Amino acid sequence: MAMITVVTEAVPPRLRGRLAVWLLEVRAGVYVGNVSRRIREMIWYQVTELADDGNVVMAWSTNNESGFDFQTYGENRREPIDVDGLRLVRFLPVDSD
């Protein structure tokens, strides 16, 4: 079992309802819980199927250098990158159309 956190932006209510089945919504769009790897993977599948044009980040505790890992879905200025085996986040420039 591992602690996970899911943060959502602009996702449909049906995804928020599905997340609330497995996790506790501690703030609007912020879910936390302690679940197995299998359940975490099932939750991520639901995210990829139901998020539509929204964006989501899921972070969970794991046994690595930083003590956690994460994955993202959807468009966001924050982009995950790998630097010498460490997962970091870089900020993309603001589009000036």
Side-chain angles (χ1 to χ4, degrees):
M1 300 282 262
M3 170 89 171
I4 71 167
T5 303
V6 179
V7 180
T8 65
E9 288 182 333
V11 297
R14 68 183 181 274
L15 175 57
R16 294 183 66 180
R18 296 293 279 172
L19 292 171
V21 168
W22 298 100
L23 307 169
L24 178 64
E25 187 173 14
V26 295
R27 290 281 191 263
V30 179
Y31 301 84
V32 296
N34 194 25
V35 299
S36 69
R37 178 181 176 189
R38 184 177 65 83
I39 297 300
R40 184 184 79 231
E41 290 171 352
M42 184 276 307
I43 289 171
W44 190 250
Y45 175 78
Q46 295 294 312
V47 165
T48 61
E49 292 296 309
L50 301 175
D52 294 342
D53 293 330
N55 66 75
V56 180
V57 61
M58 176 189 286
W60 61 93
S61 58
T62 190
N63 189 16
N64 64 13
E65 289 291 322
S66 59
F68 68 92
D69 202 357
F70 67 96
Q71 57 193 43
T72 63
Y73 177 87
E75 301 223 2
N76 194 295
R77 285 187 53 220
R78 292 167 180 86
E79 179 180 270
I81 60 170
D82 185 279
V83 177
D84 293 330
L86 278 177
R87 301 231 328 145
L88 302 174
V89 176
R90 73 175 172 184
F91 289 89
L92 300 175
V94 177
D95 288 337
S96 56
D97 293 333

